[in-house]
Amino acid sequence: MDTNKIISENQINKLLEDYRNTTKEEILRIIEKSQECHGLTLGEVAALLQTEDEGLMEILFDAARFIKNKIYGKRIVVFAPLYTSNECTNNCLYCGFRAANKKLHRKTLSKEEIIHEAKSIEKQGHKRILLVCGEDRRSTGIDHIVHAVKTTYEAGDIRRINVNTAPMEVEDFKKLKMAGIGTYQIFQETYHRETYRKMHPTGAKADYDYRLTAIERALEAGIDDFGIGPLLGLYDYKFDVLATLRHSQYMDEKYGVGPHTISVPRLKPALDSGLKEIPYAVSDKDFKKIVAIYRLAVPYTGIILSTRENATLRDELLNLGISQISAGSKTNPGGYGKEDKEAKQFENSDERTLDEMLQVICEQGHIPSFCTACYRKERTGNAFMELAKDAHIDGFCQVNAILTLKENLLDYASENMVRKGNTLINRTLNEIKDASIRNLIEERLGQIEMGKRDLYL
Ligand code: SAM
Ligand code: SF4
């Protein structure tokens, strides 16, 4: 396959050049248009990316907030990563797990250890996990991943497992699908070939094209929820954000389905990193702009924020279009049992517990959600996109957020959280105008109080 058809550097550079000096009036028109929730053209994105005007930024942020609420309502989905192995035969210069890092304590979790981690994550109150591992065919091949997914599901009440792993062949993706994963996530890191080559000097990951085409193989295997996103800081963010959206456009045109999620990992210092400094450091200001632009450009795509960012910025980003957030995370295999600085992928910048994070989400008026319904109701891929595009997903999201929050309050929450959560639920119920929906939620809440669990629409 000619992968230049997916990402053409000339096309991306030309768009950035053509829209470099877009007028203020035109930027305002683009932001206005975005609120119809039909997305933006690549040219319009190129224009927004190159806007520095502070006043326009505020208008952009307001639009991102508006769109997030229109499509997803007030809910913010919460999850935690489970690192099953830090063994890796690649040499990504920026990553603590790279093979050349001899200081790292290497570890692949045994079955008992995976069970322990899954239970510890669940004990915090989580129902959704992102499973992560390095790439080493001997220890983290498809058998390890499938085994880890099955073990985690069997360990307790984790209801959705998404995975972030190396690309693979269709046959292996089929095994992953059979194991019952939700979203398959893979970051291209950078879409800029020359930078990609420098950052990935050896190992299987050096093959840019094999990585770029992974989500197509996943689709062929029947996994229709996929997540993408560049690692911000490796190359000019304007190029990489535009390329991510081009990748999304290509998938939409060819398969009728865009990414279920876009993540915004920003490069962090890692143990024994091969980089002396961050090549294209992204400022907080630009980071906020990036999140808001994604929200305007692909309104129906979830945007995921991790604990790579600090608490203050994360709290702010909750109001700029983020729809999923990790919390209470550990980034070393076995980290929920015992933290090991020398086994981590990167340092967390937000050390708050899940309960503390949930309180902040509630204080800001969002509804924390542990919902796993769409995947189990087969609202995935195209079916999900159609619902989201017509802004109908909000109805499901709100109800399921309230129901899963109630479970959390009864089973895991601190006293403070119980108070804040119940206040939020009552306030939200009072705001629901449709009496039949209110009655339905109240009836289900009653069932949950009586001991029923895992109720969803
Ligand atoms: N090994 C698999 C791979 O590379 O695709 C999956 C797991 S890898 C640990 C997950 C992601 O972590 C990578 O795709 C990369 O974007 C991100 N990452 C690696 N090093 C990082 C760092 N120093 N700071 C922030 N994110 C990093
Ligand atoms: Fe290995 Fe992934 Fe880290 Fe690269 S980013 S060194 S492939 S774990």
Side-chain angles (χ1 to χ4, degrees):
M1 180 197 292
D2 177 9
T3 49
N4 280 313
K5 288 203 178 109
I6 309 177
I7 302 293
S8 150
E9 287 182 18
N10 286 344
Q11 182 204 13
I12 307 287
N13 287 329
K14 184 163 185 321
L15 280 165
L16 288 170
E17 190 54 46
D18 288 350
Y19 288 84
R20 192 180 301 284
N21 296 313
T22 308
T23 61
K24 191 170 173 180
E25 289 65 37
E26 178 60 5
I27 297 286
L28 285 170
R29 185 203 61 79
I30 296 169
I31 297 176
E32 178 80 31
K33 172 195 156 181
S34 72
Q35 291 170 68
E36 289 165 16
C37 295
H38 298 311
L40 298 178
T41 65
L42 292 179
E44 289 166 339
V45 172
L48 291 184
L49 281 167
Q50 297 179 97
T51 306
E52 301 294 341
D53 184 303
E54 299 281 335
L56 287 176
M57 274 315 110
E58 289 308 317
I59 300 173
L60 174 74
F61 293 162
D62 283 345
R65 252 187 299 276
F66 171 83
I67 295 168
K68 149 71 178 62
N69 286 338
K70 190 163 165 195
I71 305 234
Y72 292 104
K74 289 189 196 163
R75 69 93 162 124
I76 300 278
V77 167
V78 190
F79 71 96
L82 195 173
Y83 280 71
T84 62
S85 174
N86 60 10
E87 296 194 64
C88 195
T89 46
N90 290 317
N91 255 317
C92 315
L93 294 188
Y94 46 82
C95 181
F97 293 174
R98 70 194 179 108
N101 181 358
K102 299 297 175 213
K103 294 181 187 153
L104 192 83
H105 297 166
R106 301 277 168 186
K107 186 166 180 60
T108 297
L109 299 184
S110 65
K111 181 167 184 166
E112 289 65 38
E113 287 167 326
I114 293 172
I115 293 172
H116 183 269
E117 291 291 275
K119 287 193 163 164
S120 305
I121 294 172
E122 192 190 327
K123 220 162 118 191
Q124 291 185 41
H126 282 292
K127 298 293 176 197
R128 301 170 66 108
I129 276 182
L130 173 67
L131 201 136
V132 187
C133 61
E135 179 175 15
D136 182 338
R137 298 255 150 92
R138 292 160 304 185
S139 48
T140 69
I142 186 64
D143 292 345
H144 164 83
I145 301 168
V146 165
H147 168 257
V149 170
K150 287 187 177 160
T151 304
T152 303
Y153 275 133
E154 284 161 13
D157 195 26
I158 293 297
R159 300 172 188 164
R160 174 170 175 138
I161 302 173
N162 300 328
V163 300
N164 183 321
T165 67
M168 52 189 90
E169 292 295 316
V170 175
E171 284 314 305
D172 287 348
F173 274 126
K174 283 186 183 161
K175 293 181 189 165
L176 212 48
K177 161 96 183 155
M178 289 292 291
I181 67 152
T183 306
Y184 173 67
Q185 213 180 65
I186 184 162
F187 306 152
Q188 186 63 24
E189 320 299 11
T190 174
Y191 288 90
H192 188 254
R193 283 176 188 270
E194 180 59 18
T195 308
Y196 188 94
R197 195 183 56 73
K198 283 190 201 142
M199 293 294 157
H200 307 97
T202 57
K205 193 163 162 181
D207 189 340
Y208 175 106
D209 290 341
Y210 190 68
R211 196 167 180 88
L212 188 67
T213 49
I215 50 179
E216 295 186 59
R217 291 191 297 281
L219 273 183
E220 201 182 324
I223 299 172
D224 53 5
D225 277 352
F226 59 87
I228 57 175
L231 179 55
L232 298 163
L234 292 181
Y235 187 62
D236 180 6
Y237 77 83
K238 292 172 185 144
F239 180 95
D240 269 330
V241 168
L242 199 52
T244 304
L245 292 168
R246 165 61 200 149
H247 197 180
S248 161
Q249 181 194 57
Y250 165 83
M251 293 302 289
D252 211 352
E253 282 170 4
K254 186 163 175 192
Y255 300 97
V257 54
H260 186 66
T261 54
I262 291 184
S263 298
V264 285
R266 183 160 56 155
L267 191 53
K268 299 257 319 170
L271 177 72
D272 203 26
S273 163
L275 294 175
K276 288 197 180 60
E277 56 185 20
I278 293 178
Y280 284 80
V282 175
S283 68
D284 285 358
K285 195 173 124 209
D286 286 337
F287 191 73
K288 286 192 267 182
K289 181 165 98 175
I290 292 167
V291 170
I293 290 176
Y294 277 137
R295 177 49 66 227
L296 267 57
V298 278
Y300 45 87
T301 294
I303 304 180
I304 305 183
L305 182 68
S306 74
T307 54
R308 290 174 179 87
E309 305 304 330
N310 68 41
T312 314
L313 187 63
R314 269 162 56 93
D315 294 355
E316 228 183 302
L317 285 160
L318 283 175
N319 293 301
L320 293 182
I322 291 294
S323 53
Q324 298 192 23
I325 194 159
S326 56
S329 309
K330 304 290 175 208
T331 65
N332 62 296
Y336 295 93
K338 184 170 169 286
E339 276 212 56
D340 178 355
K341 257 185 159 349
E342 257 88 62
K344 285 185 183 180
Q345 194 196 12
F346 54 83
E347 282 299 328
N348 272 323
S349 296
D350 185 351
E351 298 280 4
R352 288 175 293 185
T353 62
L354 171 65
D355 195 83
E356 287 165 343
M357 192 69 228
L358 295 181
Q359 292 187 46
V360 172
I361 296 174
C362 290
E363 281 160 14
Q364 291 199 11
H366 306 290
I367 313 171
S369 175
F370 298 91
C371 175
T372 53
C374 278
Y375 155 68
R376 293 188 289 161
K377 284 274 195 177
E378 297 187 0
R379 294 192 294 260
T380 61
N382 222 341
F384 177 88
M385 290 296 159
E386 291 309 315
L387 274 171
K389 280 178 184 170
D390 294 341
H392 290 318
I393 203 71
D394 171 26
F396 296 111
C397 289
Q398 170 145 313
V399 175
N400 292 331
I402 293 173
L403 299 181
T404 53
L405 173 59
K406 187 69 186 178
E407 285 189 2
N408 182 277
L409 300 181
L410 290 168
D411 296 344
Y412 308 100
S414 66
E415 249 178 63
N416 276 343
M417 179 56 203
V418 171
R419 196 170 31 77
K420 288 176 193 173
N422 279 326
T423 306
L424 180 77
I425 290 178
N426 291 334
R427 200 170 65 222
T428 311
L429 283 175
N430 286 334
E431 284 167 9
I432 296 175
K433 293 195 181 67
D434 186 330
S436 61
I437 295 183
R438 211 171 43 239
N439 290 342
L440 174 100
I441 300 174
E442 278 170 349
E443 185 202 320
R444 300 262 170 121
L445 286 174
Q447 291 172 346
I448 292 172
E449 274 175 359
M450 298 295 288
K452 274 220 167 183
R453 290 293 174 267
D454 206 11
L455 301 177
Y456 53 86
L457 295 186

